[in-house]
Amino acid sequence: MTEISTAPVASPPRQNPRPPAPARPGTEAPAAGPPRHRRDIEGLRAVAVLLVVAYHCGLPVHGGYVGVDVFFVISGFLITGLLLREARGTGTVSIPRFYARRALRLLPASTVVVVATVAAAALWLPPLRLSAILSDALHTAIYAMNYRLAAVGTDYLQADAEPSPLQHFWSLAVEEQFYLVWPLLIIVFIRRRGLGAVLSLLTVGSLALALWQTRENAGWAYFGAHTRAWELGIGALLALTALRLPRWCVPAGLVAVAASAVVYTAQTPFPGYAALLPVLGTAAVIAGGTGRSAGVLGHPGLQAVGRLSYSWYLWHWPVLLIAPHAIGRPLAVWENVLAALGALVLAALTYALVENPVRHLGALRNRPWRGIGVGLGISLLSAGLCVAITFAATQLGGTTTYRAAVLDPETLDPKSLSAQIAASVDAPAVPVNLTPTLRHAMKDKPRYYTEGCNGTFDDPEVKKPCAYGDLTSDTTVVLFGDSHAGHWFPALEAAALRERWKVVVVSKSACTAAESLIYLPQLKREFTECVRWREDAWRYIRSLRPAKVLMASTYPSSELLGVPGTQDEAWVSGWERSVRAVSTPGTEVYFMNDTPWQTGSVPDCLSEHLDDVGACARSRETAIAKPERRKLIIAAVRRAGATVIDPTPWFCTATTCPPVIGNLLVYRDQHHITTAYSRLLAPELGAWLR
């Protein structure tokens, strides 16, 4: 995600301060001295928040997320300057005073926004999302949101989940994790004259980690404090050295920031080398503006936005995310802009009534431990209110009394299955005996996921041995593909136990069985591990000399990279080559056409429409994506010798694909089927494989 955070505005200038000695451009000056308000930095904050808000509104600023990096540099500069002035004036840094200032600066406004967001989510978002949003709220209270997002973002089976209205708090978490360490280092090294060396080492080390991890694991690189610390470190080095650059560096730095915002996209690997441009551009603006007029950054409009940047940042994302649910439809770009301006009004009110009055309370600022106590109290109050709101909303949630017929795979034949699907199209409500329940649907994964048999994104090796069913059998059936092969595991395992087959799982999330190279958003780069894994999988499958291979993958929608012809030709060729690659004498290869897709998360939708299941159904025509490409692929795999299984009649009537069939929830999200429904189809799948 692409969010920002901010740092306290410098204290007002003292009356008639003694002016510092002038320094030549490119030289260093001591950092000690009275604080002064930097109008250029206030304007720079406005630029940063405008970039992020414009990006989230859908305006053509596809790299507007670099506003995060601008704020990290500003924060490192301002906070380090504040700490250095205290250390050089008193010989040390008061840790209680520092954290009291941080608490009074950040917590009052963030608490208002968090509690209001949870309340709005209870009113307008799908009820099923409340527990996850509550968890987000609690993570914001302990400044750990960044690592929660990193963990969720690397879980492929949660990749389609709606973004959290509180996910933008990750940047605040990064800052506070940095400031757990930085004041202590200043205390230790300020008198030993080694602070600059230590800071330089930390900054370079963090940058090296960012460059490496952006390549290896983009999710952890994006949200990690260890990979973002160098950006705050650049700002801290500016404060430590009081570096001054020529005045032309200000417009040059602004151009660098603007260029990154315009040129970068969501596909840009970040924060790798790409982060250097906005970070160094921001540093140039700060160093070039030292002791000089604010120029264009001093415009009254930018000054006003800069003052409200923290509160506006806090409000804009929840407003943009919740507004479509409140209105009942997606918003156009211009409507997003209006919503963001509404968030600016909320920011102004928060600044005037909460943020500014609290942080200037002398009774708290001058008594650090009291300020820290108030901060802890605010955090506990925020957590308590969020828990109470979620609990109340859950208790007031609707229920149904409709009880559906219980489906049993032992007694189900193709004719009765078709009848059950047809009857479920007109189901009056979500069944009270729904299996699995909506609340447990997201955790309803095939068991091999928890047994170490699913390759992670960055792991190119096939997991061996992952055998199930009748382990003594001489008949081996291989399940090969991505998570859309994996969701057939319960059906295949049940069929294998009946037929006395041994099942070997060869699966890797997001890695199609077809020979191909794709761009993976979670890694923000080419998915080279998939290519290596697939080649290893081919060799492993051939070595097993299986009786049957069941191949399945998500529908061929991704754009393949480096293909000489059309995408259709590349997908056809990729599937044909993969079928031939796993074929050995005596092996029967089966190609499972992909399952129908619903419009969005089925459990979320049903939690909003307990009495209208049809609102969450999808027409068969739209649920089958890219039908022409599918036909080409089916013809190709048949030429290569595979038998094609089309599961669409197991999910849809001639016109509709219902989300609930009988008492069974069909989908755990938008397109992965539940283990219960998969097991129901064991007789159908077994009949094909026999």
Side-chain angles (χ1 to χ4, degrees):
M1 300 321 120
T2 53
E3 327 309 344
I4 62 171
S5 62
T6 187
V9 180
S11 302
R14 296 176 183 170
Q15 296 299 318
N16 301 317
R18 183 178 179 180
R24 297 186 303 278
T27 65
E28 296 183 3
R36 61 187 180 80
H37 182 66
R38 289 281 302 268
R39 287 170 52 81
D40 56 333
I41 291 179
E42 195 82 284
L44 189 58
R45 287 163 133 169
V47 170
V49 75
L50 285 168
L51 287 176
V52 174
V53 172
Y55 171 70
H56 284 152
C57 286
L59 294 170
V61 188
H62 304 299
Y65 51 80
V66 299
V68 178
D69 310 273
V70 174
F71 268 91
F72 281 156
V73 178
I74 292 173
S75 177
F77 175 77
L78 291 177
I79 296 299
T80 301
L82 183 149
L83 292 170
L84 290 176
R85 282 189 290 272
E86 181 179 352
R88 288 170 174 166
T90 66
T92 187
V93 170
S94 170
I95 297 298
R97 185 179 298 276
F98 173 74
Y99 287 121
R101 283 195 300 256
R102 296 294 291 172
L104 295 175
R105 171 69 175 97
L106 301 177
L107 288 176
S110 66
T111 295
V112 170
V113 174
V114 168
V115 173
T117 299
V118 172
L123 284 174
W124 290 302
L125 294 188
L128 202 60
R129 295 189 57 195
L130 280 182
S131 60
I133 293 172
L134 173 61
S135 180
D136 293 339
L138 298 179
H139 277 82
T140 65
I142 59 173
Y143 290 103
M145 189 61 177
N146 56 328
Y147 289 114
R148 170 168 165 77
L149 290 176
V152 172
T154 53
D155 183 350
Y156 175 71
L157 292 182
Q158 296 191 53
D160 295 324
E162 286 272 339
S164 167
L166 296 173
Q167 69 183 23
H168 57 320
F169 278 81
W170 75 267
S171 57
L172 288 174
V174 167
E175 281 197 19
E176 296 316 300
Q177 290 157 19
F178 179 80
Y179 292 129
L180 283 176
V181 177
W182 185 223
L184 300 177
L185 292 178
I186 291 179
I187 292 174
V188 172
F189 290 100
I190 189 67
R191 292 185 177 181
R192 300 180 184 179
R193 299 185 181 277
L195 187 60
V198 170
L199 178 57
S200 299
L201 182 64
L202 290 175
T203 301
V204 172
S206 172
L207 175 58
L209 279 173
L211 297 177
W212 169 76
Q213 198 160 42
T214 298
R215 176 68 188 172
E216 297 300 320
N217 194 320
W220 284 98
Y222 194 91
F223 294 114
H226 60 296
T227 52
R228 293 289 192 164
W230 70 274
E231 302 181 24
L232 291 115
I234 291 291
L237 283 170
L238 288 177
L240 183 63
T241 62
L243 180 66
R244 296 185 181 181
L245 295 177
R247 189 169 186 175
W248 58 264
C249 289
V250 174
L254 288 174
V255 168
V257 172
S260 60
V262 172
V263 174
Y264 294 172
T265 67
Q267 285 71 45
T268 302
F270 207 88
Y273 290 102
L276 288 167
L277 184 60
V279 167
L280 296 181
T282 303
V285 174
I286 294 173
T290 301
R292 300 184 178 93
S293 64
V296 67
L297 295 175
H299 187 279
L302 291 179
Q303 293 294 298
V305 172
R307 281 192 298 274
L308 300 177
S309 59
Y310 175 58
S311 289
W312 194 19
Y313 166 66
L314 293 179
W315 279 111
H316 89 282
W317 180 246
V319 168
L320 287 174
L321 200 70
I322 295 174
H325 292 271
I327 295 174
R329 60 173 176 79
L331 302 186
V333 172
W334 68 270
E335 291 173 311
N336 281 333
V337 172
L338 289 180
L341 292 176
L344 182 59
V345 174
L346 292 175
L349 293 172
T350 305
Y351 179 82
L353 301 177
V354 179
E355 180 185 343
N356 213 35
V358 173
R359 66 175 171 154
H360 290 306
L361 286 175
L364 300 179
R365 290 178 62 87
N366 299 328
R367 293 175 174 82
W369 286 109
R370 183 181 294 179
I372 291 174
V374 169
L376 290 173
I378 290 174
S379 296
L380 291 173
L381 176 64
S382 173
L385 288 173
C386 291
V387 169
I389 291 169
T390 304
F391 178 78
T394 303
Q395 295 302 306
L396 295 173
T399 58
T400 69
T401 58
Y402 168 65
R403 184 173 293 273
V406 176
L407 302 187
D408 183 358
E410 298 295 335
T411 60
L412 202 66
D413 56 41
K415 186 175 181 180
S416 58
L417 175 61
S418 297
Q420 285 291 344
I421 296 172
S424 298
V425 170
D426 298 318
V430 174
V432 69
N433 58 334
L434 185 69
T435 304
T437 64
L438 297 179
R439 192 165 301 280
H440 294 98
M442 279 299 293
K443 298 179 181 179
D444 183 55
K445 304 174 185 178
R447 67 188 180 98
Y448 76 83
Y449 278 93
T450 61
E451 296 173 357
C453 290
N454 181 64
T456 57
F457 293 143
D458 55 357
D459 185 358
E461 295 184 0
V462 173
K463 303 303 178 185
K464 313 168 190 174
C466 288
Y468 300 88
D470 185 352
L471 300 183
T472 64
S473 175
D474 293 330
T475 302
T476 298
V477 181
V478 173
L479 180 62
F480 174 41
D482 59 16
S483 60
H484 277 225
H487 67 200
W488 288 109
F489 171 78
L492 183 58
E493 183 184 33
L497 290 172
R498 278 200 201 98
E499 305 293 335
R500 302 187 65 81
W501 297 333
K502 179 169 69 174
V503 174
V504 176
V505 176
V506 183
S507 177
K508 180 178 177 67
S509 290
C511 186
T512 177
E515 184 180 55
S516 60
L517 176 63
I518 65 170
Y519 173 90
L520 187 67
Q522 288 84 356
L523 294 178
K524 291 206 169 189
R525 59 173 172 81
E526 295 175 347
F527 197 9
T528 54
E529 289 87 349
C530 177
V531 175
R532 292 156 58 194
W533 176 86
R534 188 186 305 110
E535 292 172 351
D536 189 18
W538 289 340
R539 289 189 292 268
Y540 177 52
I541 293 171
R542 288 195 299 266
S543 73
L544 294 173
R545 297 193 175 277
K548 307 171 191 296
V549 176
L550 177 60
M551 305 174 68
S553 291
T554 186
Y555 74 89
S557 60
S558 300
E559 292 298 298
L560 303 186
L561 305 178
V563 296
T566 66
Q567 287 292 314
D568 284 349
E569 292 170 343
W571 275 109
V572 165
S573 176
W575 271 110
E576 191 170 0
R577 284 197 296 269
S578 192
V579 169
R580 297 186 190 281
V582 299
S583 298
T584 59
T587 298
E588 299 173 1
V589 179
Y590 294 83
F591 171 81
M592 177 71 77
N593 203 6
D594 195 21
T595 48
W597 283 46
Q598 294 292 349
T599 305
S601 170
V602 169
D604 283 357
C605 181
L606 291 174
S607 72
E608 282 188 294
H609 301 90
L610 292 175
D611 295 319
D612 185 13
V613 177
C616 303
R618 195 174 190 186
S619 71
R620 178 168 174 158
E621 181 181 5
T622 59
I624 308 299
K626 297 189 180 294
E628 295 305 318
R629 182 177 293 177
R630 290 191 187 212
K631 291 177 182 177
L632 294 173
I633 291 172
I634 287 171
V637 297
R638 281 179 173 152
R639 286 196 303 269
T643 299
V644 176
I645 305 173
D646 182 13
T648 306
W650 305 343
F651 295 86
C652 308
T653 66
T655 58
T656 307
C657 302
V660 175
I661 296 176
N663 69 312
L664 298 182
L665 178 65
V666 179
Y667 298 90
R668 63 177 299 275
D669 50 24
Q670 182 183 11
H671 48 88
H672 293 101
I673 62 177
T674 62
T675 59
Y677 196 73
S678 181
R679 275 191 293 271
L680 179 75
L681 299 176
E684 304 290 330
L685 181 59
W688 271 96
L689 297 181
R690 278 197 302 273

